[in-house]
Structure formats: structure tokens, C-alpha cells
Amino acid sequence: MTKTGNLLRTGAAMGLALAAMSVADTAAAQECSVKVGAVLPTSVDWGRPIAETAQWVVDQVNEAGGVNDCQVEMVLRDTQVDPKVGVDAAKALVDLDGVPVLLGAVSSGVSMPILTSVTVPAGVMQMSCCSSSTAFTALAEEGKTDGLWFRTFATTGVQAAVGAKVAQDQGWKKVAVFYKNDDWGQDIGKLVAADLEALGIEVTASVAINDAQPSYRAEAASALSGQPDAIYLALYPNEGTATVREWISLGGTQNMILANSLKSEEFRENVGMDYLSNAWGTDTASPRADSATAFVDAYQARFDGPPNGPGLANSYDATMIALLAMEAAGKDATGAEIAAAVPRVTDPAGTPVTADSAGFTQAREVFAEGGSVMYQGATGNVRFDANGDVSAPAVVWKFGEAGIDEVEYLSLDDVDAFMSALQK
């Protein structure tokens, strides 16, 4: 064979080898996976949609090629809205599954022990959709979160202030407060009492409600003795239903202010619309922005219904921001490295990207060139402060026969102005 023939033969062989290596590399990239943990209350009716929304984001990212060319697996564990169950679930995800990021939890009373006893000691980033206690802000200010804590839900201060505003707008002069006896409930109960009093409204009682009691009749009777014009309820559906039933059976007023934790079909059905006609709910809200509208439309198409439950937009943004931060941090990044990459995802001067598969693909290209993006999500252009907190607009809502009816929308400027006035 000629020298030229040998060269051609060798070149062909090398080409085949390189092609085989390329196929193998592509297959390996497609076969690799990366895990994220999720601790969410899937055993309660309002918790399942929060988890389903997070999984939807994972599906979208996988459609875009995954994180750092690896398919994402969300390992989900149920917290049952129980601190001990939540901590055990988080430990399993961190110790056994080796997740660098934990999504959750719902309820500050569950998120706090996970943060202090699991994620911070392990160096795992924690991104919560639905924990609002100001205790997290204090912890971050003390340097005890190591920069690993973020939440896409505004602090309890927003809901407390809007709850007090509802009482003022309705002309109620005396209000009794029922609060869940955990970190979240104690926090919002204290804040709403202070805000009511700042408006000249008498707080006739502040009553702690514990889980799983056989009866809440004594608590209801105690609050009734002050003859309030209305009650404020910072409870979850189970104990909220039981407390309201006792309250109504004792002849208590049907004037109610509900925290967003009671924005639940289960609560509405178990109490009954006959007793909820003058129940006014509060919640944080997405801004009136194109990205928020796009989320509602996409959610409707995916789940055949509007995102009426609590925390759904927040769950979407928490999950997408976490996965974008993982992409920005690079393959095999630690929890601390992923947390440090969050500002590259929410940079006001960054390239605007949408909250969907196409947006993730665009962000990947920007990150590859060393740039940053401005994530435009279901709750708008998310901005975290130094403590991992966000602010948000708010809504006042009521139960309707077919779902949730929005009564009033308060912009971020409206919320900030009202909260500032309360401090004067």
C-alpha cells in the first residue's frame, strides 16, 4: 500500500474513533443526573400543588437540556407540616442523597429547624417558597445562615400589616387573634397585634393554638369573653377548621381575617360558605407584570386550572432560581458555591430571561460567556436583599363559590407606604 493510502486509512480510523468518542460523550452527558432535594407537605391538600409546581419547573429545565448537561432529579419528601418529620426528611436528603440544594420547607416552624440543624451545618443551600417569619431575617443579620438561606415569599410583616388594614377598612374596633403555636404563628400573631394597636384597634385576646388537640373549645371561649368585633386567624386548615367550628358554635362573630395559610379549598369546604361570607383573606401577590401574567397562562395550560392556592408562584420562582444558580455555579458545585451564584441570576443589570425552558437555555448561554441574567419570574423580577429576603405586593381576597376572588390589590409602593405609616 502507498504512503498516501496508509495516511488515508489512518485518518479514517481516527475519524471513526473520534466519532465514537463524541457519541459516547453525548450519551454520558444525557445519562448523568443531578439531584435537588425538596421537603414539602404533600400530605395536605394545599401542599401538593406547591410540590407539583416545583416538579413542573424541573421538567421544563430538563426539556432545555438539564443543569450543566445533566438531567435534574427532584427527590421529594413529605414534611406533613411537622418540624420533626421535616428535619428527618431533610437529613435523609442531605446525608443519603447528597443534595447540594434543598427546596422548602412550607411553614417557618418547619424551615427553621431544618436550616439550623441540617442545611447550615452541612453547607447546603436552602431556598424556601413559603416561609415568612421575621426570625429568619434576624438569624441572617446575626451571621448564622452563612449566606445559604433564601426565600421567595415576603416576610410576615406584609401580611400582618394588610390584615390590620382589613380590620381598619371594615370599621372593626376590637379583634381577637388566634395564632398557630410555632415560629410562624408566634411571629405573625405578635406583628398583627402590634399593627392593630398602631391603628387604634383593641386586641382583646391573643390565643395560641397547638396541633392535634381533641378540642379548641376552651381557647374559643377564652377569646369570646372579650366580645371582639372580629377574629384574626393565623392557622393551618386542620386546626383552623376546628377552631372556627368551636367559635361559631359558641356564638362568635363571623367577621374574620384569614392569613394565606387558610387560602384552602379544604378549609372552605369543611367550614362551609354559610359561615365564611364575611371572611377576608390576605396574601402576598405577584406584581402586575408580563412575566406574572405569563406564569398564570402557562400554569393554566399545564394544570387545567388557575394557580389559586397559596405559594404557587413562589414555588415556581424558588425552584427556577435554584436551578439557574446551579447552572451558573458549574458542575459539582457545593451548596455555598451555588448560593454565591444567586446574584448572577437576579442581577438588575443582567440579560433579561423568561421563566421557562427558553429562558433557561438563554441563561445557560449567558453564564457560559461569564455574564449574569435578570430573571423575570412568576413573582416578577425577584430581588434578594443581604438576608435572603424579598418584598412583595399584596392582595385582599374572599372565598367565592368557585374558588378565590381577589378584592383588592396593593402594589409594592402601596404596601411599603402603609407599613411605613404604621411605624410612625
Side-chain angles (χ1 to χ4, degrees):
M1 182 176 293
T2 65
K3 185 175 180 180
T4 301
N6 282 328
L7 287 172
L8 290 172
R9 184 177 180 183
T10 301
M14 289 179 64
L16 288 170
L18 289 171
M21 289 173 64
S22 176
V23 170
D25 289 343
T26 301
Q30 291 173 343
E31 289 172 2
C32 75
S33 64
V34 60
K35 292 180 179 180
V36 294
V39 279
L40 300 168
T42 54
S43 54
V44 295
D45 76 318
W46 49 268
R48 287 188 292 276
I50 292 173
E52 290 166 355
T53 300
Q55 182 60 56
W56 174 34
V57 175
V58 170
D59 293 342
Q60 288 181 310
V61 169
N62 284 335
E63 288 171 11
V67 169
N68 294 305
D69 298 321
C70 292
Q71 292 288 286
V72 181
E73 178 189 356
M74 188 178 83
V75 186
L76 173 64
R77 290 181 181 266
D78 181 18
T79 66
Q80 301 174 32
V81 203
D82 183 296
K84 184 180 183 307
V85 174
V87 167
D88 288 345
K91 283 182 177 177
L93 290 168
V94 170
D95 295 341
L96 301 180
D97 293 293
V99 300
V101 170
L102 195 69
L103 303 172
V106 174
S107 168
S108 298
V110 180
S111 289
M112 182 61 79
I114 291 175
L115 180 68
T116 56
S117 66
V118 182
T119 52
V120 168
V124 169
M125 187 182 92
Q126 186 172 343
M127 178 75 76
S128 175
C129 68
C130 313
S131 295
S132 59
S133 172
T134 56
F136 293 101
T137 304
L139 202 68
E141 290 174 342
E142 294 167 5
K144 295 180 180 178
T145 64
D146 291 349
L148 295 167
W149 165 257
F150 300 88
R151 52 179 162 179
T152 55
F153 199 90
T155 70
T156 46
V158 173
Q159 277 206 74
V162 177
K165 181 180 183 300
V166 169
Q168 181 185 54
D169 291 348
Q170 295 302 309
W172 297 329
K173 302 299 184 183
K174 299 166 65 177
V175 177
V177 176
F178 291 94
Y179 64 89
K180 184 176 173 65
N181 197 15
D182 66 1
D183 287 342
W184 168 75
Q186 292 163 14
D187 186 52
I188 196 169
K190 176 184 67 177
L191 290 171
V192 76
D195 289 344
L196 287 164
E197 289 170 349
L199 295 173
I201 298 169
E202 181 185 353
V203 177
T204 59
S206 288
V207 182
I209 298 295
N210 296 306
D211 281 334
Q213 287 185 197
S215 170
Y216 296 103
R217 195 169 188 82
E219 287 81 357
S222 173
L224 191 62
S225 65
Q227 299 182 322
D229 301 326
I231 56 174
Y232 180 90
L233 296 162
L235 302 171
Y236 285 104
N238 285 342
E239 66 269 16
T241 298
T243 300
V244 169
R245 283 175 173 173
E246 296 285 11
W247 176 259
I248 296 298
S249 72
L250 290 171
T253 176
Q254 293 180 29
N255 298 335
M256 305 178 199
I257 308 167
L258 313 176
N260 75 322
S261 52
L262 292 177
K263 197 178 185 181
S264 158
E265 191 173 305
E266 174 189 355
F267 177 74
R268 180 182 62 190
E269 290 181 352
N270 290 341
V271 172
M273 283 297 294
D274 289 346
Y275 303 105
L276 294 173
S277 61
N278 210 33
W280 301 75
T282 66
D283 200 357
T284 56
S286 298
R288 298 307 193 241
D290 290 345
S291 63
T293 302
F295 164 74
V296 172
D297 292 343
Y299 187 99
Q300 180 99 26
R302 171 74 180 222
F303 296 106
D304 297 321
N308 278 336
L312 301 180
N314 310 86
S315 178
Y316 188 98
D317 285 348
T319 309
M320 187 63 86
I321 291 169
L323 296 182
L324 283 166
M326 292 177 71
E327 177 71 32
K331 191 169 286 189
D332 300 323
T334 65
E337 290 168 339
I338 296 167
V342 169
R344 291 184 64 194
V345 178
T346 58
D347 181 0
T351 302
V353 296
T354 54
D356 51 23
S357 295
F360 194 92
T361 299
Q362 183 184 5
R364 176 188 293 119
E365 295 168 355
V366 174
F367 295 148
E369 296 174 357
S372 60
V373 302
M374 177 176 66
Y375 171 73
Q376 299 176 311
T379 60
N381 299 345
V382 179
R383 300 285 181 271
F384 297 105
D385 66 14
N387 300 315
D389 289 344
V390 296
S391 190
V395 292
V396 178
W397 54 269
K398 296 191 75 173
F399 285 118
E401 292 297 336
I404 302 296
D405 297 331
E406 183 179 305
V407 177
E408 182 182 6
Y409 172 78
L410 293 90
S411 70
L412 184 55
D413 288 342
D414 293 335
V415 170
D416 288 345
F418 185 75
M419 292 180 70
S420 295
L422 288 171
Q423 305 306 315
K424 294 179 180 179

